[in-house]
Amino acid sequence: GLPINMSWVDPKSELGKFLYFWWPKASANRHYYLKEMKIKNIWKVERHGDDSKLTSAQDKVLNELKKTKVEDRPLFQPSERMDVEDERQRKVYADTNTALLFHGTRSVNVTGILNTSFRLPKQLVGVQITGAMFGGGIYFADDWRKSAGYTSLRGSIWSQGSGAVAGREAFMFACDVVLGQPHIAPGPRGFTGPPNNNHSIFGMGRVHGDFVAKHKNKNSGVENNEWIVFQSQQTQLRY
């Protein structure tokens, strides 16, 4: 009854080998309580109509960036997006800073996200919101351990394991997110959108030395990187 095509990813397939190798390694290993990731299953998700929305968002960002160089890109990105088959499309992904990022959520929220994709907090009714340090946007991480803290995994740091479904453990999405030119948040602040000439908010984590050194030892007051967009068409569920 959901507006999606969803298919199980065989770990032995080319796509499966790519995801099962990349996903557990996409971490700086800061949240030690989580230990290592054990992937039980991965599904490929295609929501009806979302391809065209993401393409429109990418076109808009391309037009606004023109020849401007993107300053900051997420960590732990695959060296090559083998799941984006078209070479021209891969270039668009690179030019628009479209990244494969993580979103952890309570298990009870999974069906709603599959049904409507991500919605801004102001659009959600009766859904528990955990954390909005940089305003009412849609939050992602480039480190899976950061996102795992928002899942129903027992002992998860932010959700404390709440919202679980009997017989299940934790659910996490990997999504394409059009970041364009990120604006680095100088600290906690209730953004309602990125400033002019920017397309997302970057909560720079203090543990990521390369970023911090590049920006003269400044950070956004968070431990790990956070990436926030304020328009749902800048996101697309992938896995």
Short mmCIF file of all heavy atoms in Angstrom, two decimals, residues 26-52:
data_model
loop_
_atom_site.label_atom_id
_atom_site.label_comp_id
_atom_site.label_asym_id
_atom_site.label_seq_id
_atom_site.Cartn_x
_atom_site.Cartn_y
_atom_site.Cartn_z
N ALA A 26 32.08 3.61 7.19
CA ALA A 26 31.82 5.04 7.14
C ALA A 26 31.67 5.61 8.55
O ALA A 26 30.58 5.97 9.00
CB ALA A 26 30.57 5.32 6.30
N SER A 27 32.77 5.67 9.27
CA SER A 27 32.72 6.12 10.67
C SER A 27 34.12 6.48 11.16
O SER A 27 35.12 5.91 10.72
CB SER A 27 32.15 5.02 11.57
OG SER A 27 32.18 5.41 12.92
N ALA A 28 34.16 7.44 12.07
CA ALA A 28 35.41 7.81 12.75
C ALA A 28 35.57 7.05 14.06
O ALA A 28 36.51 7.29 14.81
CB ALA A 28 35.44 9.31 13.02
N ASN A 29 34.62 6.13 14.35
CA ASN A 29 34.70 5.25 15.53
C ASN A 29 34.71 6.01 16.85
O ASN A 29 35.40 5.61 17.79
CB ASN A 29 35.95 4.35 15.44
CG ASN A 29 35.95 3.50 14.20
OD1 ASN A 29 34.95 2.92 13.83
ND2 ASN A 29 37.10 3.45 13.53
N ARG A 30 33.92 7.08 16.93
CA ARG A 30 33.91 7.87 18.17
C ARG A 30 32.92 7.35 19.20
O ARG A 30 33.15 7.48 20.38
CB ARG A 30 33.58 9.33 17.83
CG ARG A 30 34.65 10.01 17.00
CD ARG A 30 35.93 10.18 17.78
NE ARG A 30 36.99 10.75 16.95
CZ ARG A 30 38.21 11.04 17.39
NH1 ARG A 30 38.52 10.79 18.64
NH2 ARG A 30 39.11 11.56 16.58
N HIS A 31 31.80 6.78 18.76
CA HIS A 31 30.81 6.26 19.70
C HIS A 31 31.13 4.79 19.96
O HIS A 31 30.55 3.88 19.38
CB HIS A 31 29.39 6.44 19.16
CG HIS A 31 28.98 7.88 19.07
ND1 HIS A 31 28.93 8.70 20.16
CD2 HIS A 31 28.60 8.64 18.01
CE1 HIS A 31 28.53 9.91 19.79
NE2 HIS A 31 28.34 9.90 18.49
N TYR A 32 32.05 4.56 20.87
CA TYR A 32 32.59 3.22 21.08
C TYR A 32 31.54 2.23 21.60
O TYR A 32 31.67 1.03 21.41
CB TYR A 32 33.77 3.27 22.04
CG TYR A 32 34.90 4.15 21.57
CD1 TYR A 32 35.16 5.37 22.17
CD2 TYR A 32 35.69 3.77 20.48
CE1 TYR A 32 36.20 6.18 21.73
CE2 TYR A 32 36.72 4.57 20.03
CZ TYR A 32 36.98 5.79 20.65
OH TYR A 32 37.98 6.58 20.21
N TYR A 33 30.50 2.74 22.28
CA TYR A 33 29.50 1.83 22.85
C TYR A 33 28.79 1.02 21.77
O TYR A 33 28.22 -0.04 22.04
CB TYR A 33 28.47 2.61 23.68
CG TYR A 33 27.43 3.37 22.88
CD1 TYR A 33 26.19 2.79 22.59
CD2 TYR A 33 27.68 4.66 22.40
CE1 TYR A 33 25.24 3.48 21.87
CE2 TYR A 33 26.74 5.35 21.67
CZ TYR A 33 25.52 4.76 21.41
OH TYR A 33 24.57 5.44 20.68
N LEU A 34 28.85 1.50 20.52
CA LEU A 34 28.17 0.80 19.43
C LEU A 34 28.98 -0.36 18.86
O LEU A 34 28.44 -1.21 18.17
CB LEU A 34 27.85 1.80 18.31
CG LEU A 34 26.76 2.81 18.64
CD1 LEU A 34 26.74 3.93 17.61
CD2 LEU A 34 25.40 2.12 18.68
N LYS A 35 30.29 -0.37 19.14
CA LYS A 35 31.16 -1.41 18.61
C LYS A 35 31.06 -1.45 17.09
O LYS A 35 31.08 -0.42 16.44
CB LYS A 35 30.83 -2.76 19.27
CG LYS A 35 31.03 -2.73 20.78
CD LYS A 35 30.71 -4.05 21.43
CE LYS A 35 30.92 -3.96 22.94
NZ LYS A 35 30.58 -5.23 23.62
N GLU A 36 30.95 -2.64 16.51
CA GLU A 36 30.91 -2.74 15.06
C GLU A 36 29.48 -2.91 14.57
O GLU A 36 28.62 -3.41 15.28
CB GLU A 36 31.77 -3.92 14.59
CG GLU A 36 33.24 -3.80 14.94
CD GLU A 36 33.88 -2.55 14.39
OE1 GLU A 36 33.59 -2.20 13.22
OE2 GLU A 36 34.66 -1.91 15.12
N MET A 37 29.26 -2.50 13.32
CA MET A 37 27.93 -2.66 12.74
C MET A 37 27.74 -4.07 12.19
O MET A 37 28.60 -4.61 11.51
CB MET A 37 27.73 -1.66 11.60
CG MET A 37 26.43 -1.87 10.82
SD MET A 37 26.28 -0.83 9.35
CE MET A 37 25.84 0.73 10.11
N LYS A 38 26.60 -4.64 12.51
CA LYS A 38 26.20 -5.90 11.91
C LYS A 38 24.96 -5.63 11.05
O LYS A 38 23.89 -5.34 11.57
CB LYS A 38 25.87 -6.96 12.97
CG LYS A 38 25.42 -8.29 12.37
CD LYS A 38 25.08 -9.30 13.44
CE LYS A 38 24.61 -10.63 12.81
NZ LYS A 38 24.22 -11.62 13.84
N ILE A 39 25.15 -5.70 9.74
CA ILE A 39 24.04 -5.47 8.82
C ILE A 39 23.25 -6.76 8.67
O ILE A 39 23.79 -7.78 8.26
CB ILE A 39 24.54 -4.99 7.45
CG1 ILE A 39 25.29 -3.67 7.59
CG2 ILE A 39 23.38 -4.86 6.48
CD1 ILE A 39 25.89 -3.17 6.28
N LYS A 40 21.98 -6.71 9.01
CA LYS A 40 21.14 -7.89 8.87
C LYS A 40 20.52 -7.98 7.48
O LYS A 40 20.45 -9.06 6.89
CB LYS A 40 20.05 -7.88 9.95
CG LYS A 40 20.63 -8.07 11.35
CD LYS A 40 19.57 -8.49 12.34
CE LYS A 40 20.21 -8.96 13.64
NZ LYS A 40 19.21 -9.49 14.58
N ASN A 41 20.03 -6.85 6.96
CA ASN A 41 19.45 -6.81 5.62
C ASN A 41 19.54 -5.39 5.09
O ASN A 41 19.51 -4.42 5.86
CB ASN A 41 17.97 -7.22 5.63
CG ASN A 41 17.77 -8.71 5.86
OD1 ASN A 41 18.01 -9.52 4.96
ND2 ASN A 41 17.36 -9.07 7.06
N ILE A 42 19.65 -5.27 3.78
CA ILE A 42 19.56 -3.97 3.11
C ILE A 42 18.49 -4.08 2.02
O ILE A 42 18.41 -5.08 1.32
CB ILE A 42 20.90 -3.55 2.48
CG1 ILE A 42 21.99 -3.39 3.55
CG2 ILE A 42 20.75 -2.24 1.70
CD1 ILE A 42 23.35 -3.00 2.99
N TRP A 43 17.69 -3.04 1.91
CA TRP A 43 16.70 -2.95 0.84
C TRP A 43 16.97 -1.70 0.01
O TRP A 43 17.29 -0.65 0.56
CB TRP A 43 15.27 -2.86 1.40
CG TRP A 43 14.77 -4.12 2.02
CD1 TRP A 43 14.07 -5.13 1.41
CD2 TRP A 43 14.91 -4.52 3.39
NE1 TRP A 43 13.77 -6.12 2.32
CE2 TRP A 43 14.27 -5.77 3.54
CE3 TRP A 43 15.50 -3.93 4.50
CZ2 TRP A 43 14.22 -6.45 4.75
CZ3 TRP A 43 15.47 -4.61 5.72
CH2 TRP A 43 14.83 -5.85 5.83
N LYS A 44 16.81 -1.84 -1.28
CA LYS A 44 16.83 -0.69 -2.17
C LYS A 44 15.42 -0.12 -2.23
O LYS A 44 14.45 -0.87 -2.39
CB LYS A 44 17.28 -1.10 -3.57
CG LYS A 44 17.40 0.06 -4.56
CD LYS A 44 17.90 -0.43 -5.91
CE LYS A 44 18.00 0.73 -6.90
NZ LYS A 44 18.49 0.26 -8.23
N VAL A 45 15.31 1.20 -2.09
CA VAL A 45 14.00 1.86 -2.02
C VAL A 45 13.88 2.87 -3.16
O VAL A 45 14.78 3.69 -3.37
CB VAL A 45 13.80 2.58 -0.67
CG1 VAL A 45 12.46 3.30 -0.65
CG2 VAL A 45 13.91 1.60 0.48
N GLU A 46 12.79 2.80 -3.88
CA GLU A 46 12.51 3.78 -4.93
C GLU A 46 11.10 4.31 -4.70
O GLU A 46 10.12 3.61 -4.96
CB GLU A 46 12.62 3.13 -6.31
CG GLU A 46 14.02 2.63 -6.64
CD GLU A 46 14.06 1.84 -7.94
OE1 GLU A 46 13.68 0.65 -7.91
OE2 GLU A 46 14.46 2.42 -8.95
N ARG A 47 11.01 5.55 -4.22
CA ARG A 47 9.69 6.17 -4.04
C ARG A 47 9.24 6.77 -5.36
O ARG A 47 10.02 7.41 -6.07
CB ARG A 47 9.73 7.27 -2.96
CG ARG A 47 9.91 6.76 -1.55
CD ARG A 47 9.61 7.83 -0.50
NE ARG A 47 8.18 8.12 -0.45
CZ ARG A 47 7.60 9.16 -1.04
NH1 ARG A 47 8.30 10.02 -1.73
NH2 ARG A 47 6.31 9.35 -0.93
N HIS A 48 7.98 6.57 -5.68
CA HIS A 48 7.44 7.03 -6.95
C HIS A 48 7.56 8.56 -7.07
O HIS A 48 7.09 9.29 -6.21
CB HIS A 48 5.98 6.61 -7.09
CG HIS A 48 5.79 5.12 -6.98
ND1 HIS A 48 4.55 4.54 -6.83
CD2 HIS A 48 6.69 4.09 -7.01
CE1 HIS A 48 4.69 3.21 -6.76
NE2 HIS A 48 5.98 2.93 -6.87
N GLY A 49 8.20 9.02 -8.12
CA GLY A 49 8.29 10.45 -8.38
C GLY A 49 9.47 11.16 -7.75
O GLY A 49 9.72 12.33 -8.05
N ASP A 50 10.21 10.48 -6.88
CA ASP A 50 11.29 11.16 -6.17
C ASP A 50 12.51 11.43 -7.06
O ASP A 50 13.27 12.37 -6.81
CB ASP A 50 11.73 10.36 -4.93
CG ASP A 50 10.81 10.60 -3.74
OD1 ASP A 50 9.80 11.32 -3.92
OD2 ASP A 50 11.08 10.08 -2.65
N ASP A 51 12.71 10.61 -8.09
CA ASP A 51 13.84 10.85 -9.00
C ASP A 51 13.76 12.24 -9.62
O ASP A 51 14.75 12.98 -9.67
CB ASP A 51 13.85 9.80 -10.12
CG ASP A 51 14.53 8.51 -9.69
OD1 ASP A 51 15.22 8.53 -8.65
OD2 ASP A 51 14.37 7.49 -10.38
N SER A 52 12.58 12.60 -10.11
CA SER A 52 12.42 13.89 -10.78
C SER A 52 12.58 15.05 -9.81
O SER A 52 13.11 16.11 -10.17
CB SER A 52 11.05 13.97 -11.48
OG SER A 52 9.99 13.81 -10.54
#
